[in-house]
Amino acid sequence: MKRAFDDLQPLRERHGARGHRILRLADDPQDYMVIIEFASFGGAQGFTEEPLLLRAIDAAGIEGGAHHVQYVEEFREQL
């Protein structure tokens, strides 16, 4: 799964990805969450609708595809 994710780095960058985090449960490494930061909402939405992404998810054997997509805005303040 990680290799399939890594192979999509150029596609994420093309849609304006700035970075990512992969989190997984300590007691179940098959249960994980990927957080990708994009420069814009349009870039994030374009990436999640990208046919190459959808094919890669299927090819990686992820049961049921991407289970949940949520868009959030982050507000940062410096202390």
Side-chain angles (χ1 to χ4, degrees), residues 25-43:
L25 293 178
D27 60 348
D28 184 1
Q30 296 301 315
D31 192 349
Y32 57 91
M33 174 175 40
V34 177
I35 300 169
I36 305 172
E37 181 181 339
F38 286 89
S40 69
F41 173 73

Side-chain angles (χ1 to χ4, degrees), residues 57-70:
I57 288 171
D58 288 340
I62 299 171
E63 290 182 25
H67 296 288
H68 182 73
V69 175
Q70 185 175 20

Side-chain angles (χ1 to χ4, degrees), residues 15-32:
H15 284 277
R18 294 180 173 172
H20 67 271
R21 288 180 282 164
I22 301 173
L23 309 171
R24 65 182 185 181
L25 293 178
D27 60 348
D28 184 1
Q30 296 301 315
D31 192 349
Y32 57 91

Side-chain angles (χ1 to χ4, degrees), residues 8-20 35-48 50:
L8 291 174
Q9 181 65 28
L11 184 64
R12 287 191 301 277
E13 289 175 359
R14 198 167 35 244
H15 284 277
R18 294 180 173 172
H20 67 271
I35 300 169
I36 305 172
E37 181 181 339
F38 286 89
S40 69
F41 173 73
Q45 192 171 30
F47 177 72
T48 60
E50 174 69 52

